[in-house]
Each structure stands twice: as structure tokens, then as C-alpha cells.
């Protein structure tokens, strides 16, 4: 009887392994080809329209996907609004008053629901929107792996602890990315999304008034004009993250870091020492390598702990659980 018992155990293990592989395999660029063939073109049209109305929205949508994936995985938890059952991630410190683009994702979801109700997840729309946003402002294109499902919970505590902060040093940033399966090269590539968008005064005030050796003096003086020293005065005033071309996807962000013109402390530390300084140098000299690595790392980030198979739900609207 013992050999048969062993075979039975092995069989169970094989079945479990295959089931797990099938679950992982559900993320695929062709996931909606038969169930909603026009999903991607519908999302793309909606995102393009939003960015044509406000070019800054491209940066916001890429950031929104990033802030989703770093909390509970890429499950659209960041889109859930406060309710009697949900404590929203939108109220977490890294998101409150700065994360934006929720309405753009909701509008894309509304258009997709018209053609394929209950089929396409908000998590997949968010991942696709980030790619379409990159392309809309001259950035790289990549195949988005699809098949994620939406969470029924949010986790503001994890948002506060796991999302990188503008004041953090290199070791902490490396650890936070490593905890999500992303290495130093991924971190530098993804940080390159700061070639787009703007930051609020309170996030860079300490840096521009520090008189530090890692900030170009005239750059600090220029930024002080719209960011008073006193906390509370002009906290929400905006400055471009990329001094040169803030609305176009290019590699000027890395050139800024070499010139000590990174706006955020968490940006400038990338050029402070290894293992990241040489990658900054490489990307500053080779925009094609940066674009290729950015696309690769966005796909890799999109693989963080997705809900697939029978896990999660397909939300009818992105801001609330069905």
C-alpha cells in the first residue's frame, strides 16, 4: 500500500503545481482577445483624449499605476474610495493631495463597460493606461500583460510604509524596491518616469534651502522663487521634476541628476554612489537603453502579486466594490 500512497501524494503535488502555473499563465497580452477584442483600443482612445486635455496627466497615470502595484500588488486597490467598509489608500500620506487621475481611469472603465460589461478589470485598465500615457508623450511602448482582477480591500497602512518617499535615502529606497522584486536597475529606470510631471513645494523645500553640496546653487535659487522657506506658505506650488522638458518622455532627468539639479532628494541620491550612479550615467548617455529598460521594468512591476483566476473580482466601477 505504501507505494500507492506515495504516488497519490506525488499526484496531488503535480496537480497543485500545474494549477499554480496555470494561474500565473493567466497574465497574457492576449487575455481579452476573445472576450473583449476592442478593449485595448477603447482604453487607448480614452487615455489619449485625457492627455490631450492635460499633458501632465501622462505623468499622473504612470504614477498611479506605480502607487497601485506597490500596495497589495497590481489590484486597483488605490482606486477604491472611502466607504463604511473601505479605508481608502487615497488618504495615505504618499497619495493624499498628490495622486491623481482617478477620474480618467473611471472614464476609461465606463467606455469599456459599454462594449464588454463585467469583463475587463480596473487593474488591467490602470496598467494599460500607464503604457498608453507613456506612448502619448513620446515614451516607449510595451505589451501589457493582462488578466488581473480587482481587490475588494485597500491598505492605507501599507501605502504609508511601502511606497518610496521623497526624503528617503538610497539604502531605504533600494530595500523598498527589493521587497517588491525589483532591483537597482529597475529602480533607476522607473525613477526615470520623473522625466514627466511636477512636484509640490513641500516635497522639495528642505532640499532647496539646505545649502547642500549635492544641489547646484543657481538651481536652488530658481526653485526658491515659487517655494517660500516657511512651512505652509505655498506648500502646493508646483515645479517641474525635469527642468528641461517636463512634458516629454526623454532622458534629461538623468542629465539633471549629474548636474545636481534633481528636484527631489530621493531623485538626487540615485547619483550619490553605487549601485545606482553608474546606471544614471548610462541612461544619461543612451536614451534608447533607458527607454528599453523602462518598458522592461514597467512590465516587471506589473507582475507584482496580481489577483488572478478566482481571486478578486471585476468591479463594475473602479471606485467601489460591487
Amino acid at each position: 500500500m505504501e507505494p500507492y500512497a506515495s504516488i497519490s501524494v506525488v499526484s496531488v503535488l503535480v496537480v497543485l503545481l500545474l494549477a499554480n502555473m496555470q494561474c500565473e499563465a493567466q497574465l497574457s497580452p492576449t487575455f481579452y482577445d476573445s472576450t473583449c477584442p476592442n478593449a485595448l483600443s477603447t482604453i487607448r482612445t480614452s487615455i489619449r483624449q485625457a492627455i490631450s486635455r492635460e499633458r501632465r496627466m501622462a505623468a499622473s497615470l504612470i504614477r498611479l499605476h506605480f502607487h497601485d502595484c506597490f500596495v497589495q500588488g497590481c489590484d486597483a486597490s488605490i482606486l477604491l474610495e472611502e466607504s463604511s467598509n473601505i479605508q481608502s489608500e487615497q488618504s495615505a500620506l504618499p497619495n493624499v493631495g498628490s495622486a491623481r487621475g482617478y477620474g480618467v481611469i473611471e472614464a476609461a472603465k465606463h467606455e469599456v463597460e459599454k462594449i464588454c460589461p463585467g469583463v475587463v478589470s480596473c487593474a488591467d485598465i490602470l496598467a494599460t493606461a500607464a503604457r498608453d500615457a507613456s506612448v502619448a508623450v513620446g515614451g516607449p511602448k510595451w505589451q501589457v500583460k493582462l488578466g488581473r482582477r480587482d481587490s475588494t480591500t485597500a491598505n492605507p497602512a501599507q501605502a504609508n510604509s511601502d511606497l518610496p518617499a521623497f526624503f528617503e535615502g538610497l539604502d531605504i529606497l533600494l530595500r523598498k524596491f527589493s521587497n517588491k522584486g525589483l532591483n537597482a536597475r529597475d529602480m533607476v529606470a522607473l525613477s526615470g518616469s520623473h522625466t514627466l510631471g511636477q512636484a509640490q513645494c513641500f516635497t522639495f523645500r528642505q532640499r532647496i534651502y539646505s545649502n547642500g553640496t549635492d544641489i547646484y546653487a543657481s538651481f536652488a535659487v530658481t526653485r526658491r522663487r515659487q517655494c517660500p522657506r516657511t512651512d505652509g506658505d505655498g506648500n502646493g506650488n508646483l515645479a517641474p521634476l525635469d527642468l528641461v522638458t517636463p512634458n516629454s518622455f526623454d532622458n534629461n532627468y538623468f542629465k539633471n541628476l549629474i548636474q545636481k539639479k534633481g528636484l527631489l532628494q530621493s531623485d538626487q541620491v540615485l547619483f550619490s554612489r553605487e549601485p545606482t550612479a553608474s546606471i544614471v550615467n548610462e541612461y544619461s548617455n543612451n536614451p534608447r537603453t533607458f527607454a528599453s529598460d523602462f518598458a522592461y521594468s514597467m512590465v516587471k512591476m506589473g507582475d507584482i502579486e496580481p489577483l488572478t483566476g478566482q481571486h478578486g473580482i471585476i468591479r463594475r466601477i473602479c471606485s467601489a466594490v460591487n
Side-chain angles (χ1 to χ4, degrees):
M1 292 295 293
E2 296 245 325
Y4 291 100
S6 299
I7 291 171
S8 178
V9 170
V10 170
S11 299
V12 170
L13 289 174
V14 169
V15 169
L16 289 173
L17 179 61
L18 288 173
N20 184 58
M21 291 173 62
Q22 288 169 357
C23 180
E24 291 298 320
Q26 285 185 6
L27 282 190
S28 163
T30 61
F31 187 81
Y32 297 113
D33 279 10
S34 60
T35 56
C36 192
N38 294 321
L40 297 187
S41 60
T42 301
I43 296 167
R44 182 170 60 249
T45 298
S46 189
I47 298 306
R48 282 179 176 174
Q49 289 172 348
I51 294 172
S52 68
R53 292 191 296 269
E54 184 194 6
R55 197 166 173 86
R56 181 188 167 203
M57 187 54 68
S60 299
L61 293 173
I62 293 171
R63 182 173 184 253
L64 199 60
H65 180 43
F66 177 92
H67 279 222
D68 179 43
C69 289
F70 262 57
V71 182
Q72 296 190 162
C74 307
D75 62 357
S77 60
I78 195 172
L79 303 179
L80 288 170
E81 294 180 352
E82 202 82 14
S83 72
S84 58
N85 298 317
I86 298 291
Q87 189 178 1
S88 177
E89 291 167 23
Q90 297 175 20
S91 60
L93 289 175
N95 296 324
V96 65
S98 64
R100 55 200 299 273
Y102 305 115
V104 173
I105 301 300
E106 198 71 79
K109 171 67 169 176
H110 179 72
E111 293 304 311
V112 172
E113 284 294 296
K114 288 181 182 178
I115 58 171
C116 307
V119 173
V120 182
S121 70
C122 297
D124 278 345
I125 291 174
L126 188 49
T128 304
R131 187 271 311 276
D132 293 342
S134 170
V135 174
V137 291
K141 184 177 184 180
W142 58 90
Q143 277 198 321
V144 179
K145 291 160 67 176
L146 304 164
R148 301 170 192 82
R149 289 166 66 85
D150 300 323
S151 69
T152 57
T153 62
N155 195 330
Q158 191 179 115
N160 284 323
S161 65
D162 289 14
L163 284 167
F166 59 86
F167 53 81
E168 289 175 334
L170 186 58
D171 289 335
I172 293 175
L173 294 172
L174 285 166
R175 186 178 73 245
K176 286 189 172 183
F177 276 77
S178 177
N179 288 343
K180 305 299 178 182
L182 301 169
N183 59 32
R185 195 170 188 87
D186 296 317
M187 184 175 85
V188 178
L190 293 171
S191 296
S193 65
H194 284 181
T195 187
L196 303 167
Q198 304 185 64
Q200 297 181 76
C201 166
F202 78 90
T203 64
F204 58 85
R205 176 183 282 119
Q206 183 174 356
R207 173 163 163 73
I208 63 175
Y209 287 101
S210 67
N211 295 315
T213 58
D214 65 344
I215 186 167
Y216 191 66
S218 65
F219 171 73
V221 170
T222 300
R223 293 279 71 90
R224 289 173 188 170
R225 292 171 188 163
Q226 295 298 320
C227 186
R229 181 189 292 269
T230 307
D231 186 24
D233 292 344
N235 271 0
N237 290 355
L238 298 173
L241 287 160
D242 174 2
L243 185 67
V244 185
T245 51
N247 291 314
S248 296
F249 194 104
D250 54 35
N251 69 331
N252 280 324
Y253 163 83
F254 300 104
K255 296 177 181 179
N256 293 338
L257 299 186
I258 292 171
Q259 297 168 9
K260 301 182 180 180
K261 296 177 181 177
L263 186 62
L264 303 180
Q265 189 62 33
S266 56
D267 288 328
Q268 193 61 50
V269 295
L270 299 181
F271 194 59
S272 63
R273 61 179 171 84
E274 297 303 337
T276 54
S278 58
I279 305 171
V280 170
N281 260 321
E282 182 183 357
Y283 290 163
S284 73
N285 292 319
N286 196 327
R288 288 187 178 180
T289 300
F290 164 51
S292 175
D293 283 3
F294 180 79
Y296 173 83
S297 295
M298 286 294 287
V299 173
K300 191 173 175 181
M301 185 183 75
D303 283 343
I304 298 175
E305 299 177 12
L307 297 172
T308 59
Q310 298 304 308
H311 301 287
I313 62 172
I314 305 297
R315 293 190 214 136
R316 289 191 293 269
I317 60 172
C318 293
S319 59
V321 177
N322 298 344

